[in-house]
Amino acid sequence: MYLKNRFPTNSSFLQGLRVLLVDNDVNFCNSLTPMLQSYGVEVQAAFLGEEALEIFVQWQPDILLNGISSPKEDGYALIHQVRTLTGERGKVVPAIALTNTVTEDMYQHALLAGFSLCLAKPLVVDDFVAVLGILAIANNPHPHAN
């Protein structure tokens, strides 16, 4: 992760945003979680598989961050399950595919599978936080209208 720390941590559109982080890299999760929490984001981390889907169903995150390569199961299976669930409920949760390398083919495959975006690790924190903010606003343009 590249830290620039130029994005203000008191941005109100990130406060209370619920993000489910699914990745097989424990170090990545352990570094990304507190960084997101410093922006007021609520984070739950999980590994691929049934645990991630169970947390998704019970916790109902606003955004899914999903690693797409794992030795046991890839993130494409999870996004397929998530899209099936959200299609039944009528609410589409933005999902970002996370991978070590992004090629044009991989990016297209991720979009066709149901991801909103595909980003390469390591993440540039300021850019990543801006993307989360854009997705949060686009998914809930009137957060105070409840």
Side-chain angles (χ1 to χ4, degrees):
M1 220 169 356
Y2 298 119
L3 297 174
K4 293 182 186 175
N5 294 326
R6 291 185 301 203
F7 203 91
T9 56
N10 62 352
S11 298
S12 63
F13 56 86
L14 293 176
Q15 297 293 317
L17 185 70
R18 296 169 74 132
V19 172
L20 175 57
L21 171 59
V22 181
D23 202 288
N24 63 329
D25 183 343
V26 174
N27 292 329
F28 177 73
C29 291
N30 288 341
S31 63
L32 187 60
T33 297
M35 186 278 302
L36 289 173
Q37 289 171 334
S38 73
Y39 289 91
V41 175
E42 297 176 31
V43 181
Q44 290 231 8
F47 292 105
L48 289 171
E50 290 183 26
E51 175 192 21
L53 187 61
E54 185 177 311
I55 291 171
F56 182 88
V57 170
Q58 291 177 1
W59 193 53
Q60 299 182 5
D62 299 309
I63 296 175
L64 172 65
L65 305 177
N66 188 4
I68 58 173
S69 58
S70 170
K72 294 181 182 177
E73 179 181 8
D74 69 28
Y76 292 109
L78 178 61
I79 194 63
H80 177 72
Q81 294 171 318
V82 164
R83 289 298 176 237
T84 300
L85 279 173
T86 56
E88 292 169 0
R89 295 181 180 172
K91 180 185 178 195
V92 176
V93 174
I96 300 173
L98 301 171
T99 185
N100 291 328
T101 306
V102 178
T103 63
E104 181 64 30
D105 287 343
M106 182 181 290
Y107 194 86
Q108 292 298 323
H109 186 225
L111 293 179
L112 290 172
F115 287 99
S116 308
L117 294 168
C118 186
L119 299 176
K121 297 187 245 176
L123 300 170
V124 177
V125 173
D126 288 336
D127 296 343
F128 180 66
V129 170
V131 166
L132 286 181
I134 290 166
L135 288 175
I137 291 168
N139 204 39
N140 189 12
H142 307 291
H144 302 291
N146 297 341

